[in-house]
Amino acid sequence: MKWLRSVLLPAEGSQYARQVDDLYMFIVWLSVFFFVLIAGLLAFFIWRYRRRGPDEVTPHITHNFKLELTWSIIPLILVTILFVWGFHGYVSSVVPPKDALEIQVTAKRWLWEFEYPNGSRTINEMRVPVGKPVKLIMSSADVIHSFYIPSFRIKMDVLPNRYTQTWFEPLQVGTHVLFCAEYCGRAHSDMLAKVTVLSDEDYRKWLEFGDETSEQMPLKELGAMLHESRGCDTCHSLDGSAGLGTSFKGVFGTRRRLADGQSVEVDENYLRESILEPQAKLAAGYQPIMPTFQGLLREREISALIEFIKAQR
């Protein structure tokens, strides 16, 4: 029943989601059937075998071979069906097609980084073509994370110092939410991303030319968008409040004390260096946890972030 699926489950965003939902709904209806059966039999037995008088004695029944055989064989058949069905779904989820598009996924506190076959990279947004299998080869740059897209019904741990993989085939153009489902530290709840499913033509254009919208935006507006989409807002506030990183409020043009005891003026060159080589001149009192954005940002995007920071008065 489609209406029940829509109530119990998110929309199906991938081919694999249908397999998971079919098994899930089978288990739901099987549970409902046995609940009604057992509750009904319990009510019937209470009424049928109630004590009718003070001298009534319950018959001494030791066993019923046919009944015992029935309630042993039927559950055995059912759990065997569930095992085979579930194992088939598991194999489907871990064995991608040979022609699958490969995307490298790197999890970092607290963002997702995606690298495509042509060398393009994105942060906190994965773009994929519709109707094509996509294989994800995943690793972590720090702690254990968990890659979870509810609408695709896929979840896989992402571990440091080794690779894990999963795959999916998106069914239609649209946007889906990506979560980290493993507690990974203070900003774990902010480690969100989105999966944008494009038509095959739009995907090829994006790989070749990038996002046309961002190219037409004023630098300050583009910087504001990047501050959120690239995960800067998880550590750098705009209101002067303390965070895992320095606040951007009123920072431009000031002098900053560094972890090595020296000081430096916060100008365009310092901001650029901090974006590309964040450990080169670490601010005093902060941990070296910021990942490098070298190769992840186009020159215009770097300039946009600098203009955005300069505008925070």
Side-chain angles (χ1 to χ4, degrees):
M1 300 176 70
K2 292 185 177 180
W3 70 267
L4 185 59
R5 286 195 181 207
S6 64
V7 171
L8 296 179
L9 300 166
E12 296 176 351
S14 70
Q15 192 71 30
Y16 179 64
R18 294 178 177 175
Q19 299 182 46
V20 175
D21 292 357
D22 287 343
L23 177 56
Y24 178 83
M25 293 308 300
F26 176 77
I27 294 174
V28 168
W29 286 117
L30 186 66
S31 301
V32 170
F33 170 77
F34 277 105
F35 172 79
V36 173
L37 176 64
I38 293 171
L41 289 174
L42 179 62
F44 171 74
F45 291 151
I46 291 174
W47 174 82
R48 175 65 178 80
Y49 297 106
R50 69 191 184 279
R51 189 175 185 181
R52 293 176 173 80
D55 299 326
E56 186 173 10
V57 178
T58 301
H60 181 64
I61 302 174
T62 58
H63 70 280
N64 185 310
F65 180 75
K66 293 181 179 180
L67 183 60
E68 292 168 357
L69 201 61
T70 299
W71 72 40
S72 299
I73 293 177
I74 292 178
L76 177 62
I77 293 173
L78 290 174
V79 296
T80 302
I81 291 172
L82 292 176
F83 172 78
V84 173
W85 195 343
F87 184 73
H88 179 268
Y90 169 76
V91 172
S92 298
S93 71
V94 298
V95 181
K98 292 183 179 180
D99 62 342
L101 167 70
E102 289 193 5
I103 296 178
Q104 301 284 333
V105 181
T106 303
K108 303 178 182 180
R109 293 184 297 182
W110 287 270
L111 57 82
W112 297 97
E113 176 184 314
F114 306 97
E115 183 172 351
Y116 303 84
N118 69 344
S120 299
R121 297 184 184 182
T122 57
I123 293 178
N124 286 342
E125 181 181 10
M126 177 170 60
R127 298 195 173 195
V128 296
V130 67
K132 183 175 179 61
V134 178
K135 177 182 177 182
L136 306 177
I137 302 175
M138 305 182 292
S139 64
S140 171
D142 36 55
V143 298
I144 297 176
H145 300 275
S146 185
F147 185 93
Y148 178 41
I149 308 177
S151 57
F152 289 176
R153 312 296 191 269
I154 60 171
K155 182 165 69 171
M156 179 61 67
D157 284 348
V158 184
L159 310 174
N161 303 318
R162 62 170 295 183
Y163 293 106
T164 56
Q165 69 176 46
T166 187
W167 77 280
F168 58 87
E169 182 179 336
L171 294 175
Q172 57 188 5
V173 172
T175 302
H176 307 267
V177 181
L178 163 62
F179 298 90
C180 176
E182 183 76 27
Y183 181 71
C184 55
R186 179 177 175 182
H188 162 70
S189 60
D190 294 324
M191 194 170 172
L192 300 174
K194 62 181 179 179
V195 180
T196 302
V197 182
L198 305 171
S199 67
D200 193 57
E201 181 181 356
D202 288 343
Y203 178 73
R204 288 199 304 269
K205 287 182 179 179
W206 173 77
L207 279 182
E208 185 174 356
F209 302 109
D211 192 341
E212 294 182 3
T213 302
S214 64
E215 290 298 320
Q216 298 172 358
M217 293 177 65
L219 286 179
K220 193 182 300 183
E221 293 181 16
L222 177 59
M225 183 185 74
L226 292 171
H227 175 258
E228 180 178 351
S229 66
R230 299 303 193 187
C232 306
D233 57 346
T234 62
C235 297
H236 302 282
S237 72
L238 302 179
D239 58 5
S241 59
L244 296 174
T246 57
S247 176
F248 287 160
K249 182 178 181 180
V251 69
F252 186 79
T254 63
R255 294 199 66 81
R256 169 166 294 168
R257 189 167 63 87
L258 304 179
D260 61 5
Q262 300 182 30
S263 63
V264 64
E265 182 179 355
V266 180
D267 58 10
E268 289 89 345
N269 288 322
Y270 172 76
L271 292 175
R272 178 185 176 84
E273 183 180 32
S274 297
I275 292 171
L276 302 180
E277 300 179 52
Q279 317 308 330
K281 294 177 181 177
L282 183 65
Y286 293 90
Q287 297 296 317
I289 60 175
M290 178 174 168
T292 176
F293 284 83
Q294 184 79 47
L296 298 178
L297 297 173
R298 298 180 176 90
E299 281 298 321
R300 190 169 191 273
E301 292 176 326
I302 296 173
S303 299
L305 279 172
I306 293 174
E307 289 301 312
F308 174 72
I309 295 172
K310 289 168 64 176
Q312 305 308 307
R313 301 299 183 183

